[in-house]
């Protein structure tokens, strides 16, 4: 069940912002408890050491000690230091380790959530922005779940114990020397609250840099083709400057806080030198007590200043958590209905008066009706922008069709789960995407458990086998990001092989042969229809040669079916079909050698 959508604003409650990490805190609660025990042990050791140092100073200053006593005190300090080291190792292992696990868990949650969201989400958020949320923002959340907790407990424990010791042992002097420290805490907490908006702006600027770099590198061939390197560098420099300015605004603000807090904390040392020094001269305070008080005062500076550091980390974590919640709170536009069956559909594919519009008042499909019979082939021809790709996306519910408009086996496709529906379908889109893996891995993506024989059959049917000798490692050749090392035709044939390997009930080819030559197209179509016997195939294409292979065809014009029939029938009754056939016939004649 999706979480209740938060407003994401700066006034959103602290506990609401961090709600997604509560299950993880509960899961690792014993690790946190163990870590806090180690932290208290380490702090306790630090508090004991000044008392031992004070005794040593008194022995030395009074001349009443001997080397044996001094040696025992030194050994005590060494033993306590070992305990402190073990304690620090323990809290780092348990608390920081748990924070790392929370970060990893949240990253998995984010990735899982993004996989579940519809295409409209990825039109709203750019890839670089999402990458920034998965990396930089999660780092800030980890710091809030780890070091912020350590700093808070550490500062609170140290402050309470040391204050009690100072007041009990030094009385009025103890009260006087800590007077400036509350001012440090108040200043740190008040100014630290202003950090959140500044840090959120830094994260947004970082997301802008990530997005621009990702987009530029993905389209580097276009940049180089138009000699736009200088323009791209100029644009990046401008974005980078804005990022730097946001960082500097944060640094300037935070840079003012620490010097001011250090100054206020230094007033405590001044007061100790004044009142404590007089006490030593008057004999009311021993030299050892003075040294111990000075050490305790130094320790108190950290809790006072650490309060601001804690607020800073919490504010950064909250700002980042709001950005993460934007994704976690997102709800997919396309969901499974409660009555949906998790059964792979089979049967005729029917469009019954389908209407679809991306924007109200501007329909792309306007009453489209046709039937693709089970085991048959249907060709779809139409001018650019007539809705062919939209039609193809409705079948696997990449776009959600209206209720009661698209059917498989006589049942509305909305009454099947998306997973079951898509298991019945194979789709090769116009814009082929390949992963930065080997050719073999890209083909096996649709059916990883396929045998070598099935893989070879899919490669052969897709017309890719003739290209294998030209690949350095054959099927084990790495294609590069988005298939950058391959031609458009090779990428399309790999995508076709990937779809064929899944052996779907319904295969949709959306202009999937546009980048191959006529001879290769003929060979692929011959192989494809041979292996697809008994299975349904939809062939969307601009080529009449592809339509001629289909048992039936429809012509899509202005968002509706203007003609339907066999290829021969359409030559007689569809002016558009006939015009395209004549134009492509003339092109073939002109291409033939004289």
């Amino acid at each position: 069940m999706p979480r209740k959508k938060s407003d994401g604003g700066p006034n959103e409650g602290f506990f609401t912002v961090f709600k997604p990490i509560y299950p993880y805190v509960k899961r690792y609660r014993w690790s946190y408890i163990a870590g806090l025990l180690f932290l208290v042990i380490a702090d306790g050791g630090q508090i004991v050491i000044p008392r031992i140092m004070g005794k040593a100073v008194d022995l030395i200053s009074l001349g009443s000690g001997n080397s044996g006593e001094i040696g025992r005190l030194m050994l005590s300090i060494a033993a306590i230091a070992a305990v402190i080291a073990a304690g620090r190792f323990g809290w780092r292992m348990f608390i920081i380790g748990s924070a790392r696990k929370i970060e990893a868990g949240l990253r998995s949650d984010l990735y899982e959530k993004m996989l579940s969201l519809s295409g409209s989400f990825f039109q709203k958020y750019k890839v670089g922005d999402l990458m920034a949320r998965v990396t930089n923002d999660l780092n800030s959340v980890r710091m809030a779940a780890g070091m912020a907790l350590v700093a808070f407990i550490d500062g609170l424990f140290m402050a309470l114990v040391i204050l009690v010791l100072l007041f009990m042992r030094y009385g009025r002097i103890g009260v006087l020397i800590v007077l400036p420290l509350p001012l440090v805490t108040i200043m740190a907490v008040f100014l630290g609250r202003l950090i959140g908006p500044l840090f959120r702006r830094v994260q947004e600027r970082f997301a802008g840099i990530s997005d621009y770099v990702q987009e530029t590198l993905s389209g580097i061939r276009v940049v180089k083709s138009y000699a736009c390197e200088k323009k791209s560098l100029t644009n990046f420099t401008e974005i980078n400057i804005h990022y730097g300015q946001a960082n500097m605004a944060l640094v300037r603000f935070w840079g003012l806080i620490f010097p001011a807090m250090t100054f206020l904390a230094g007033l405590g040392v001044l007061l100790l030198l004044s009142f404590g020094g007089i006490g030593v001269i008057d004999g009311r305070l021993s030299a050892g007590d003075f040294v111990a008080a000075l050490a305790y005062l130094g320790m108190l500076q950290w809790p006072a200043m650490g309060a601001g550091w804690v607020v800073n980390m919490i504010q950064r974590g909250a700002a980042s958590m709001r950005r993460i919640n934007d994704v976690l709170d997102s709800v997919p536009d396309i969901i499974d209905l409660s009555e949906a069956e998790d059964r792979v559909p089979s049967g005729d594919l029917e469009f019954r008066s389908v209407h679809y519009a991306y924007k109200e008042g501007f329909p792309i499909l306007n009453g489209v009706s046709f039937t693709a019979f089970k085991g048959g082939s249907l060709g779809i021809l139409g001018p650019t922008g007539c809705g062919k790709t939209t039609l193809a996306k409705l079948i696997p519910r990449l776009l959600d069709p209206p209720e009661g408009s698209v059917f498989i086996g006589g049942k509305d496709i909305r009454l099947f789960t998306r997973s079951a529906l898509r298991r019945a379908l194979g789709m090769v889109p116009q814009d082929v995407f390949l992963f930065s893996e080997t050719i073999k891995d890209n083909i096996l993506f649709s059916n990883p458990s396929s045998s070598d024989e099935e893989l070879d059959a899919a490669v052969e049917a897709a017309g890719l086998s003739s290209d294998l000798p030209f690949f350095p490692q054959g099927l084990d050749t790495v294609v590069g990001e988005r298939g950058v090392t391959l031609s458009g035709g090779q990428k399309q044939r790999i995508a076709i092989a990937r779809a064929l390997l899944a052996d779907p009930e319904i295969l949709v080819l959306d202009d999937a042969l546009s980048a191959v030559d006529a001879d290769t197209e003929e060979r692929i179509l011959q192989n494809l229809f041979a292996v697809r016997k008994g299975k349904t195939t939809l062939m969307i294409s601009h080529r009449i040669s592809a339509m001629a292979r289909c048992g039936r065809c429809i012509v899509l014009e202005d968002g509706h079916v203007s003609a339907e029939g066999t290829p021969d029938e359409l030559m007689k009754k569809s002016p558009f079909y006939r015009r395209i056939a004549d134009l492509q016939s003339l092109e073939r004649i002109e291409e033939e050698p004289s």
Side-chain angles (χ1 to χ4, degrees):
M1 181 180 292
R3 300 192 317 116
K4 182 181 178 181
K5 182 78 173 178
S6 61
D7 60 17
N11 296 322
E12 185 181 2
F14 171 83
F15 293 105
T16 303
V17 170
F18 287 101
K19 193 174 181 180
I21 73 172
Y22 292 170
Y24 290 104
V25 173
K26 184 178 180 181
R27 182 186 305 175
Y28 303 119
R29 62 187 181 278
W30 294 113
S31 292
Y32 272 106
I33 291 171
L36 292 176
L37 288 175
F38 276 108
L39 178 61
V40 170
I41 290 171
D43 286 347
Q46 291 182 79
I47 292 170
V48 171
I49 287 178
R51 292 298 309 140
I52 299 175
M53 290 174 55
K55 288 182 181 179
V57 170
D58 282 340
L59 289 174
I60 295 170
S61 64
L62 297 174
S64 59
N66 55 51
S67 58
E69 288 180 304
I70 300 297
R72 283 192 292 273
L73 292 175
M74 292 174 61
L75 287 175
S76 299
I77 291 175
I80 293 172
V83 172
I84 293 172
R88 287 177 173 172
F89 175 80
W91 69 251
R92 280 178 169 83
M93 278 291 295
F94 288 105
I95 297 179
I96 305 303
S98 296
R100 293 279 183 182
K101 292 174 183 176
I102 290 173
E103 178 190 17
L106 276 177
R107 186 171 286 116
S108 294
D109 290 344
L110 266 178
Y111 186 71
E112 182 180 6
K113 183 67 176 185
M114 286 188 282
L115 288 178
S116 72
L117 293 171
S118 309
S120 60
F121 171 84
F122 299 98
Q123 294 173 0
K124 179 181 177 183
Y125 294 96
K126 294 184 178 180
V127 173
D129 182 23
L130 294 175
M131 290 300 297
R133 294 170 196 250
V134 173
T135 53
N136 246 27
D137 285 313
L138 276 175
N139 289 340
S140 298
V141 173
R142 168 174 53 81
M143 290 294 291
M147 284 306 301
L149 176 65
V150 170
F152 174 73
I153 298 298
D154 182 45
L156 182 64
F157 178 81
M158 295 279 282
L160 290 176
V161 175
I162 292 174
L163 286 173
V164 170
L165 287 174
L166 286 175
F167 295 157
M168 290 180 62
R169 186 162 185 84
Y170 305 107
R172 187 171 63 89
I173 293 177
V175 174
L176 289 172
I177 63 178
V178 299
L179 280 179
L181 295 181
L183 299 177
V184 178
T185 302
I186 293 170
M187 179 183 178
V189 172
F190 175 73
L191 295 179
R193 291 176 63 86
L194 305 178
I195 290 290
L198 293 174
F199 183 72
R200 186 178 180 90
R201 190 174 299 117
V202 169
Q203 294 297 77
E204 289 170 352
R205 293 284 190 268
F206 178 80
I209 282 185
S210 298
D211 183 64
Y212 188 81
V213 172
Q214 185 273 334
E215 194 171 60
T216 301
L217 295 181
S218 297
I220 192 66
R221 287 186 293 179
V222 176
V223 173
K224 289 183 174 295
S225 297
Y226 288 93
C228 288
E229 293 92 340
K230 189 173 181 179
K231 178 183 176 183
S232 179
L233 178 59
T234 301
N235 293 341
F236 176 79
T237 301
E238 183 178 352
I239 296 172
N240 198 28
I241 288 173
H242 289 158
Y243 176 59
Q245 290 171 342
N247 264 302
M248 287 306 299
L250 178 63
V251 168
R252 280 194 296 268
F253 184 80
W254 190 240
L256 287 173
I257 296 177
F258 269 109
M261 289 192 298
T262 303
F263 172 76
L264 290 175
L267 292 179
V269 178
L270 185 64
L271 292 171
L272 176 62
L273 288 173
S274 176
F275 294 98
I278 294 173
V280 173
I281 294 172
D282 292 345
R284 290 180 289 106
L285 197 68
S286 71
D289 284 338
F290 180 85
V291 170
L294 184 62
Y296 284 137
L297 187 59
M299 289 182 182
L300 272 179
Q301 290 183 15
W302 155 242
M305 297 171 63
W309 196 52
V310 169
V311 172
N312 175 39
M313 283 191 290
I314 292 296
Q315 288 292 330
R316 288 183 177 221
S320 291
M321 198 69 220
R322 289 187 182 97
R323 285 168 45 81
I324 291 169
N325 288 343
D326 287 343
V327 179
L328 293 177
D329 290 338
S330 297
V331 178
D333 299 333
I334 303 172
I335 60 174
D336 292 333
L337 302 179
S338 58
E339 64 270 28
E341 294 184 44
D342 192 26
R343 171 177 62 85
V344 177
S346 178
D348 298 342
L349 170 66
E350 300 175 75
F351 273 58
R352 300 179 186 174
S353 190
V354 176
H355 295 265
Y356 192 86
Y358 293 99
K359 185 178 180 181
E360 190 174 352
F362 297 89
I364 299 297
L365 299 178
N366 193 6
V368 173
S369 297
F370 65 84
T371 300
F373 297 104
K374 181 180 179 180
S377 56
L378 178 70
I380 303 175
L381 181 73
T384 301
C386 69
K388 300 186 298 297
T389 297
T390 298
L391 183 151
K393 289 181 178 180
L394 290 172
I395 302 171
R397 290 188 72 196
L398 297 177
L399 299 174
D400 212 16
E403 183 180 357
S405 59
V406 182
F407 298 80
I408 296 179
K411 187 169 185 175
D412 191 337
I413 63 171
R414 292 162 56 90
L415 297 178
F416 298 99
T417 64
R418 288 168 295 164
S419 175
L421 175 64
R422 291 166 187 174
R423 288 199 300 270
L425 301 170
M427 189 170 179
V428 183
Q430 292 180 23
D431 183 19
V432 172
F433 181 89
L434 298 181
F435 297 96
S436 304
E437 302 287 348
T438 64
I439 295 173
K440 181 179 180 179
D441 289 335
N442 271 283
I443 297 173
L444 287 172
F445 183 80
S446 65
N447 191 0
S449 61
S450 299
S451 64
D452 291 340
E453 292 75 15
E454 291 170 328
L455 174 65
D456 292 339
V459 169
E460 181 66 32
L464 191 62
S465 55
S466 59
D467 287 65
L468 293 182
F470 301 103
F471 297 135
Q473 283 84 40
L475 287 176
D476 292 319
T477 301
V478 178
V479 301
E481 188 173 8
R482 293 177 177 267
V484 68
T485 60
L486 304 176
S487 69
Q490 289 169 336
K491 286 192 284 188
Q492 284 187 332
R493 281 176 282 165
I494 291 173
I496 292 171
R498 179 164 60 194
L500 290 175
L501 193 63
D503 193 26
E505 286 292 320
I506 300 172
L507 176 64
V508 181
L509 301 172
D510 185 6
D511 211 12
L513 298 171
S514 58
V516 302
D517 58 73
D519 290 338
T520 303
E521 178 193 51
E522 180 64 24
R523 187 169 67 254
I524 293 172
L525 289 174
Q526 184 176 352
N527 294 339
L528 189 146
F529 283 106
V531 300
R532 291 291 300 167
K533 285 183 178 178
K535 302 289 179 68
T536 308
T537 302
L538 268 68
M539 175 74 67
I540 300 174
S541 179
H542 290 93
R543 294 182 177 177
I544 295 298
S545 55
M547 296 294 102
R549 285 273 181 181
C550 299
R552 294 173 58 256
C553 300
I554 63 171
V555 177
L556 199 62
E557 294 183 271
D558 298 325
H560 68 277
V561 177
S562 62
E564 182 175 0
T566 65
D568 291 338
E569 290 172 345
L570 289 179
M571 283 292 291
K572 298 175 183 177
K573 64 182 182 181
S574 173
F576 178 81
Y577 189 97
R578 187 166 54 251
R579 184 167 69 253
I580 296 298
D582 291 342
L583 287 172
Q584 292 182 6
S585 178
L586 288 173
E587 289 175 0
R588 284 195 295 272
I589 293 173
E590 290 175 359
E591 290 173 358
E592 290 178 359
S594 56

